[in-house]
Coordinates of all heavy atoms in Angstrom, one line a residue:
L1 N 129.0 102.2 95.8 CA 127.7 102.9 95.9 C 126.8 102.5 94.6 O 125.7 102.4 94.7 CB 127.9 104.4 96.2 CG 126.6 105.2 96.1 CD1 125.7 104.8 97.4 CD2 126.9 106.6 96.2
H2 N 127.5 102.5 93.6 CA 126.8 102.3 92.2 C 126.1 100.9 92.3 O 125.0 100.9 91.8 CB 127.7 102.3 90.9 CG 128.1 103.7 90.7 ND1 127.2 104.8 90.5 CD2 129.4 104.3 90.5 CE1 127.9 105.8 90.3 NE2 129.2 105.7 90.2
D3 N 126.7 100.0 92.9 CA 126.1 98.6 93.0 C 124.9 98.5 93.8 O 124.0 97.8 93.5 CB 127.1 97.6 93.5 CG 128.3 97.4 92.6 OD1 128.2 97.7 91.5 OD2 129.3 96.9 93.2
A4 N 124.7 99.6 94.7 CA 123.6 99.5 95.6 C 122.4 100.4 95.0 O 121.3 100.3 95.5 CB 123.9 100.2 96.9
L5 N 122.6 101.2 93.9 CA 121.5 101.9 93.3 C 120.3 101.2 93.0 O 119.2 101.8 93.5 CB 122.1 102.7 92.1 CG 122.8 103.9 92.4 CD1 123.4 104.6 91.1 CD2 122.2 104.9 93.4
P6 N 120.2 99.9 92.4 CA 118.9 99.3 92.2 C 118.3 99.0 93.5 O 117.1 99.1 93.6 CB 119.4 98.1 91.3 CG 120.7 98.5 90.7 CD 121.3 99.4 91.7
I7 N 119.0 98.6 94.5 CA 118.4 98.2 95.8 C 117.9 99.4 96.5 O 116.7 99.4 97.0 CB 119.5 97.4 96.7 CG1 119.9 96.1 96.0 CG2 118.9 97.2 98.1 CD1 121.0 95.4 96.6
L8 N 118.5 100.5 96.4 CA 118.1 101.8 96.9 C 116.8 102.2 96.2 O 115.9 102.7 96.8 CB 119.2 102.8 96.9 CG 120.3 102.7 97.8 CD1 121.4 103.8 97.5 CD2 119.9 102.8 99.1
F9 N 116.8 102.0 94.9 CA 115.6 102.4 94.0 C 114.3 101.6 94.6 O 113.3 102.1 94.9 CB 115.8 102.1 92.7 CG 114.5 102.2 91.8 CD1 114.0 103.4 91.6 CD2 114.0 101.0 91.4 CE1 112.8 103.5 90.7 CE2 112.8 101.2 90.6 CZ 112.1 102.3 90.3
L10 N 114.6 100.2 94.7 CA 113.5 99.4 95.1 C 113.0 99.9 96.5 O 111.9 99.7 96.9 CB 113.9 97.9 95.1 CG 114.1 97.2 93.8 CD1 114.7 95.9 93.9 CD2 112.8 97.3 93.0
S11 N 114.0 100.1 97.5 CA 113.6 100.4 98.8 C 112.7 101.7 98.9 O 112.0 101.9 99.9 CB 114.7 100.6 99.7 OG 115.5 101.8 99.3
K12 N 112.8 102.5 97.9 CA 112.0 103.8 97.9 C 110.6 103.6 97.4 O 109.7 104.5 97.5 CB 112.8 104.9 97.1 CG 114.1 105.3 97.7 CD 114.8 106.4 96.9 CE 116.1 106.7 97.5 NZ 116.1 107.7 98.5
L13 N 110.4 102.5 96.7 CA 109.1 102.2 96.2 C 108.0 101.9 97.2 O 108.5 101.2 98.3 CB 109.0 101.1 95.2 CG 109.9 101.3 93.9 CD1 110.0 100.1 93.1 CD2 109.5 102.5 93.1
S14 N 106.8 102.0 97.0 CA 105.8 101.5 98.0 C 105.8 100.0 97.9 O 106.2 99.5 96.9 CB 104.4 102.0 97.5 OG 103.9 101.4 96.3
Q15 N 105.3 99.4 98.9 CA 105.2 98.0 98.9 C 104.5 97.3 97.6 O 105.1 96.3 97.1 CB 104.5 97.4 100.2 CG 104.5 95.9 100.4 CD 104.0 95.5 101.7 OE1 103.5 96.4 102.6 NE2 104.1 94.2 101.9
D16 N 103.4 97.8 97.3 CA 102.7 97.4 96.2 C 103.5 97.5 94.8 O 103.6 96.5 94.0 CB 101.4 98.1 95.9 CG 100.3 97.8 97.0 OD1 100.5 96.7 97.6 OD2 99.4 98.6 97.3
K17 N 104.1 98.6 94.7 CA 104.9 98.8 93.4 C 106.2 98.0 93.4 O 106.5 97.4 92.4 CB 105.3 100.3 93.2 CG 104.2 101.2 92.8 CD 104.6 102.7 92.6 CE 103.5 103.6 92.3 NZ 103.9 104.9 92.0
R18 N 106.7 97.8 94.6 CA 108.0 96.9 94.7 C 107.6 95.5 94.3 O 108.3 94.7 93.6 CB 108.6 97.0 96.0 CG 109.8 96.3 96.2 CD 110.4 96.4 97.6 NE 110.1 97.6 98.2 CZ 109.6 97.8 99.4 NH1 109.4 96.8 100.2 NH2 109.2 99.1 99.9
R19 N 106.4 95.1 94.9 CA 105.9 93.7 94.6 C 105.7 93.5 93.1 O 106.2 92.5 92.5 CB 104.7 93.4 95.4 CG 104.2 91.9 95.3 CD 102.9 91.6 96.1 NE 101.9 92.5 95.8 CZ 101.4 93.4 96.6 NH1 101.9 93.6 97.7 NH2 100.5 94.2 96.3
I20 N 105.0 94.4 92.4 CA 104.7 94.2 91.0 C 105.9 94.2 90.2 O 106.2 93.5 89.3 CB 103.8 95.3 90.7 CG1 102.4 95.2 91.2 CG2 103.8 95.5 89.2 CD1 101.5 96.4 91.0
F21 N 106.8 95.2 90.6 CA 108.3 95.3 89.9 C 109.0 93.9 89.9 O 109.5 93.3 89.0 CB 109.1 96.3 90.5 CG 110.3 96.7 89.6 CD1 110.3 97.6 88.6 CD2 111.5 96.0 89.9 CE1 111.4 97.8 87.9 CE2 112.7 96.3 89.2 CZ 112.7 97.2 88.3
L22 N 109.1 93.4 91.2 CA 109.8 92.2 91.5 C 109.1 90.9 90.8 O 109.7 90.1 90.2 CB 109.9 91.8 92.9 CG 111.0 92.8 93.6 CD1 111.0 92.6 95.1 CD2 112.4 92.7 93.0
E23 N 107.8 91.1 90.8 CA 107.0 89.9 90.2 C 107.4 89.8 88.7 O 107.5 88.8 88.1 CB 105.5 89.9 90.4 CG 105.1 89.7 91.8 CD 103.6 90.0 92.0 OE1 102.9 90.7 91.2 OE2 103.0 89.7 93.2
R24 N 107.4 91.0 88.1 CA 107.7 91.0 86.6 C 109.2 90.8 86.3 O 109.4 89.9 85.4 CB 107.3 92.3 86.0 CG 107.4 92.4 84.5 CD 106.5 91.3 83.8 NE 106.7 91.6 82.4 CZ 106.3 90.7 81.5 NH1 106.0 89.5 81.8 NH2 106.4 90.9 80.2
Y25 N 110.1 91.5 87.0 CA 111.5 91.4 86.4 C 112.4 90.4 87.3 O 113.5 90.2 86.9 CB 112.0 92.8 86.5 CG 111.3 93.6 85.6 CD1 110.5 94.6 86.0 CD2 111.3 93.4 84.2 CE1 109.6 95.4 85.1 CE2 110.5 94.1 83.2 CZ 109.7 95.1 83.8 OH 109.0 95.9 82.8
W26 N 111.9 90.0 88.4 CA 112.7 89.0 89.2 C 112.2 87.6 89.0 O 112.9 86.6 88.7 CB 112.9 89.4 90.7 CG 113.7 88.5 91.5 CD1 113.4 87.5 92.3 CD2 115.1 88.5 91.6 NE1 114.4 86.8 92.9 CE2 115.6 87.5 92.4 CE3 116.2 89.3 91.0 CZ2 116.9 87.2 92.7 CZ3 117.4 89.1 91.2 CH2 117.7 88.1 92.2
Y27 N 110.8 87.5 89.4 CA 110.1 86.2 89.2 C 109.6 85.9 87.9 O 109.2 84.8 87.6 CB 109.0 86.2 90.2 CG 109.6 86.2 91.6 CD1 109.3 87.4 92.4 CD2 110.2 85.3 92.2 CE1 109.8 87.6 93.7 CE2 110.8 85.3 93.5 CZ 110.5 86.6 94.3 OH 111.0 86.7 95.5
L28 N 109.7 86.9 86.9 CA 109.3 86.7 85.4 C 107.8 86.4 85.3 O 107.4 85.6 84.5 CB 110.1 85.7 84.8 CG 111.6 86.1 84.9 CD1 112.5 85.0 84.2 CD2 111.9 87.4 84.1
Y29 N 106.9 86.9 86.2 CA 105.5 86.5 86.1 C 105.0 87.2 84.8 O 105.5 88.4 84.4 CB 104.7 87.2 87.3 CG 104.8 86.5 88.6 CD1 105.7 85.3 88.8 CD2 104.0 86.7 89.7 CE1 106.0 84.6 89.9 CE2 104.2 86.2 91.0 CZ 105.2 85.1 91.1 OH 105.1 84.4 92.3
S30 N 103.9 86.7 84.3 CA 103.3 87.3 83.1 C 102.5 88.5 83.6 O 102.1 88.5 84.8 CB 102.3 86.3 82.5 OG 101.2 85.9 83.2
I31 N 102.1 89.3 82.6 CA 101.2 90.5 83.0 C 99.8 90.0 83.4 O 99.3 90.5 84.5 CB 101.0 91.3 81.7 CG1 102.2 92.0 81.2 CG2 100.0 92.5 81.9 CD1 102.9 93.0 82.3
K32 N 99.3 88.9 82.9 CA 98.1 88.3 83.3 C 98.2 87.8 84.8 O 97.2 88.0 85.5 CB 97.7 87.1 82.4 CG 96.4 86.5 82.7 CD 96.1 85.5 81.6 CE 94.7 84.9 81.9 NZ 94.3 83.9 80.9
D33 N 99.3 87.1 85.1 CA 99.4 86.6 86.5 C 99.6 87.8 87.5 O 98.9 87.8 88.6 CB 100.6 85.7 86.6 CG 100.4 84.5 85.9 OD1 99.3 84.0 85.7 OD2 101.5 83.8 85.6
I34 N 100.3 88.9 87.0 CA 100.5 90.1 88.0 C 99.2 90.7 88.2 O 98.8 91.0 89.4 CB 101.5 91.1 87.4 CG1 102.9 90.3 87.4 CG2 101.5 92.3 88.2 CD1 104.0 91.1 86.6
S35 N 98.4 90.9 87.1 CA 97.1 91.6 87.3 C 96.1 90.7 88.1 O 95.5 91.3 89.0 CB 96.5 91.9 85.9 OG 96.3 90.7 85.3
S36 N 96.1 89.5 87.9 CA 95.2 88.6 88.8 C 95.7 88.6 90.1 O 94.8 88.8 91.1 CB 95.4 87.2 88.1 OG 94.6 86.3 88.9
K37 N 96.9 88.5 90.4 CA 97.4 88.4 91.8 C 97.2 89.7 92.6 O 97.0 89.7 93.7 CB 98.9 88.1 91.8 CG 99.5 87.9 93.1 CD 100.9 87.3 93.2 CE 101.3 87.2 94.6 NZ 102.8 86.9 94.8
N38 N 97.2 90.8 92.0 CA 97.2 92.2 92.6 C 95.7 92.8 92.4 O 95.6 94.0 92.8 CB 98.3 93.0 92.0 CG 99.7 92.6 92.5 OD1 100.1 92.9 93.6 ND2 100.5 92.0 91.5
Q39 N 95.0 92.0 91.8 CA 93.6 92.6 91.6 C 93.4 93.9 90.8 O 92.8 94.7 91.2 CB 92.8 92.5 92.9 CG 92.7 91.1 93.6 CD 92.0 91.1 94.9 OE1 91.8 92.3 95.4 NE2 91.6 90.0 95.3
I40 N 94.3 94.0 89.7 CA 94.3 95.2 89.0 C 94.1 94.7 87.4 O 94.4 93.5 87.2 CB 95.5 95.9 89.0 CG1 96.8 95.1 88.8 CG2 95.7 96.6 90.5 CD1 98.1 95.9 88.7
S41 N 93.8 95.5 86.6 CA 93.6 95.2 85.2 C 94.9 94.9 84.5 O 96.1 95.5 85.0 CB 92.8 96.3 84.4 OG 93.6 97.4 84.3
E42 N 95.0 94.2 83.3 CA 96.2 94.1 82.8 C 96.9 95.4 82.2 O 97.9 95.6 82.2 CB 96.0 93.1 81.6 CG 95.9 91.7 82.0 CD 95.7 90.7 80.9 OE1 96.4 90.8 79.8 OE2 95.1 89.7 81.1
S43 N 95.9 96.2 81.8 CA 96.2 97.6 81.3 C 96.9 98.4 82.4 O 97.9 98.9 82.2 CB 95.1 98.3 80.8 OG 95.4 99.7 80.3
N44 N 96.4 98.3 83.7 CA 96.9 99.0 84.8 C 98.2 98.5 85.1 O 99.2 99.1 85.4 CB 95.9 98.9 86.0 CG 96.3 100.0 87.0 OD1 97.1 100.9 86.8 ND2 95.8 99.8 88.2
A45 N 98.4 97.1 85.0 CA 99.8 96.5 85.4 C 100.8 97.0 84.3 O 101.9 97.3 84.8 CB 99.6 95.0 85.3
K46 N 100.4 97.0 83.0 CA 101.3 97.4 82.1 C 101.8 98.9 82.3 O 102.9 99.3 82.2 CB 100.8 97.3 80.7 CG 100.7 95.9 80.3 CD 100.0 95.8 78.9 CE 99.7 94.6 78.4 NZ 99.0 94.4 77.1
T47 N 100.8 99.8 82.7 CA 101.0 101.1 83.0 C 102.0 101.4 84.2 O 102.9 102.1 84.1 CB 99.7 102.0 83.2 OG1 98.9 101.9 82.0 CG2 100.0 103.4 83.4
I48 N 101.7 100.6 85.2 CA 102.6 100.7 86.4 C 103.9 100.3 86.1 O 104.9 101.0 86.5 CB 102.0 99.7 87.6 CG1 100.6 100.5 88.1 CG2 102.9 99.6 88.7 CD1 99.8 99.5 89.0
L49 N 104.1 99.2 85.3 CA 105.6 98.8 85.0 C 106.2 99.7 84.0 O 107.4 99.9 84.3 CB 105.4 97.4 84.3 CG 105.0 96.2 85.3 CD1 104.6 95.0 84.6 CD2 106.1 96.0 86.3
L50 N 105.5 100.3 83.2 CA 106.0 101.4 82.3 C 106.7 102.5 83.1 O 107.8 103.1 83.0 CB 105.1 101.8 81.2 CG 105.6 103.0 80.3 CD1 106.7 102.6 79.5 CD2 104.4 103.5 79.6
R51 N 105.7 103.0 84.0 CA 106.2 104.1 84.9 C 107.3 103.7 85.8 O 108.3 104.6 86.1 CB 105.1 104.6 85.7 CG 103.9 105.2 84.9 CD 102.8 105.6 85.7 NE 101.8 106.3 84.9 CZ 100.5 106.5 85.2 NH1 100.1 106.1 86.4 NH2 99.7 107.1 84.3
L52 N 107.4 102.5 86.3 CA 108.4 102.1 87.2 C 109.8 102.0 86.3 O 110.9 102.4 86.9 CB 108.1 100.7 87.8 CG 107.1 100.7 88.9 CD1 106.7 99.3 89.4 CD2 107.6 101.7 90.2
R53 N 109.8 101.5 85.1 CA 110.9 101.4 84.2 C 111.4 102.8 84.1 O 112.7 103.1 84.1 CB 110.7 100.8 82.9 CG 110.5 99.2 83.0 CD 110.6 98.6 81.7 NE 109.6 99.1 80.8 CZ 108.3 98.7 80.6 NH1 107.8 97.7 81.4 NH2 107.5 99.2 79.7
N54 N 110.6 103.8 83.7 CA 111.1 105.1 83.6 C 111.6 105.8 84.8 O 112.6 106.4 84.8 CB 109.8 106.0 83.1 CG 109.5 105.7 81.6 OD1 110.4 105.3 80.8 ND2 108.3 106.0 81.3
E55 N 111.0 105.4 86.0 CA 111.5 105.9 87.2 C 113.0 105.3 87.4 O 113.8 106.0 88.0 CB 110.6 105.5 88.5 CG 109.3 106.3 88.6 CD 108.5 105.9 89.7 OE1 109.0 105.6 90.8 OE2 107.2 105.9 89.6
L56 N 113.1 104.0 87.2 CA 114.4 103.3 87.4 C 115.4 104.0 86.5 O 116.6 104.3 86.8 CB 114.3 101.9 87.2 CG 115.6 101.1 87.2 CD1 116.3 101.3 88.6 CD2 115.4 99.6 86.9
K57 N 115.0 104.3 85.3 CA 115.9 104.9 84.3 C 116.4 106.3 84.9 O 117.6 106.5 84.7 CB 115.3 105.0 82.9 CG 116.2 105.6 81.8 CD 115.6 105.4 80.5 CE 114.4 106.3 80.2 NZ 114.0 106.4 78.8
N58 N 115.5 107.1 85.3 CA 115.9 108.4 85.8 C 116.8 108.3 87.0 O 117.7 109.1 87.3 CB 114.6 109.1 86.1 CG 114.0 109.6 84.8 OD1 114.6 109.7 83.7 ND2 112.5 109.7 84.9
Y59 N 116.4 107.3 87.9 CA 117.2 107.2 89.1 C 118.6 106.7 88.8 O 119.6 107.2 89.4 CB 116.5 106.1 90.0 CG 117.0 106.0 91.4 CD1 116.6 106.7 92.3 CD2 117.9 104.9 91.8 CE1 117.1 106.6 93.6 CE2 118.4 104.8 92.9 CZ 118.0 105.7 93.9 OH 118.5 105.6 95.2
L60 N 118.8 105.9 87.8 CA 120.1 105.3 87.4 C 120.9 106.5 86.6 O 122.1 106.7 86.8 CB 120.0 104.2 86.5 CG 119.5 102.9 87.1 CD1 119.4 101.8 86.1 CD2 120.4 102.5 88.3
K61 N 120.1 107.4 85.9 CA 120.7 108.5 85.2 C 121.3 109.4 86.4 O 122.6 109.9 86.2 CB 119.8 109.3 84.5 CG 119.5 108.7 83.0 CD 118.6 109.5 82.3 CE 118.4 109.0 81.0 NZ 117.4 109.8 80.1
E62 N 120.6 109.8 87.4 CA 121.0 110.6 88.5 C 122.3 110.1 89.2 O 123.1 110.7 89.6 CB 119.9 110.8 89.5 CG 118.7 111.6 89.1 CD 117.6 111.7 89.8 OE1 117.7 111.2 91.1 OE2 116.6 112.2 89.5
G63 N 122.3 108.6 89.2 CA 123.6 108.0 89.9 C 124.7 107.7 89.0 O 125.7 107.2 89.5
G64 N 124.5 108.3 87.7 CA 125.6 108.1 86.7 C 125.8 106.8 86.1 O 126.7 106.5 85.5
L65 N 124.7 105.8 86.2 CA 124.8 104.6 85.6 C 124.1 104.4 84.3 O 124.1 103.3 83.8 CB 124.2 103.6 86.7 CG 125.2 103.4 87.8 CD1 124.5 102.4 88.9 CD2 126.6 102.8 87.5
Y66 N 123.4 105.4 83.9 CA 122.6 105.3 82.7 C 122.7 106.6 81.9 O 122.7 107.7 82.5 CB 121.1 105.1 83.0 CG 120.3 104.7 81.7 CD1 120.2 103.4 81.3 CD2 119.6 105.7 81.0 CE1 119.3 103.1 80.2 CE2 118.9 105.5 79.9 CZ 118.7 104.1 79.6 OH 117.9 103.8 78.6
E67 N 123.0 106.5 80.6 CA 123.1 107.8 79.9 C 121.9 108.0 78.9 O 121.4 107.1 78.5 CB 124.4 107.8 79.0 CG 125.7 107.8 80.0 CD 126.9 107.8 79.1 OE1 127.0 108.2 77.9 OE2 128.0 107.5 79.8

């Protein structure tokens, strides 16, 4: 079950947030590329990613994988 937590986390995100998260941390797109592709400002992209990292951290804490 612990191995599935990151996948479960991603499945709970909206399609837009999941795409932005994967673009940054799976495909390693730059903030500039993410903002351009998703038609959002670079500042907004950074804010979304910060919030998603915090959500993931809390999700992993609940699952016992992060202290």
Side-chain angles (χ1 to χ4, degrees):
L1 179 62
H2 288 307
D3 294 338
L5 284 176
I7 294 169
L8 292 172
F9 169 75
L10 288 172
S11 70
K12 294 177 184 281
L13 298 177
S14 70
Q15 184 176 1
D16 291 338
K17 287 183 179 180
R18 184 177 331 128
R19 181 178 58 248
I20 290 169
F21 188 89
L22 290 174
E23 286 173 351
R24 183 64 175 158
Y25 300 112
W26 184 261
Y27 298 109
L28 305 177
Y29 287 8
S30 68
I31 297 295
K32 184 176 182 178
D33 289 341
I34 292 169
S35 64
S36 175
K37 184 174 181 190
N38 292 284
Q39 300 178 342
I40 58 176
S41 69
E42 289 183 31
S43 176
N44 194 17
K46 290 177 185 178
T47 300
I48 290 169
L49 289 165
L50 174 65
R51 290 177 180 163
L52 288 171
R53 286 193 307 271
N54 287 333
E55 285 181 39
L56 176 58
K57 182 168 70 172
N58 290 333
Y59 192 79
L60 293 175
K61 279 182 181 179
E62 292 171 7
L65 290 177
Y66 187 91
E67 291 183 16

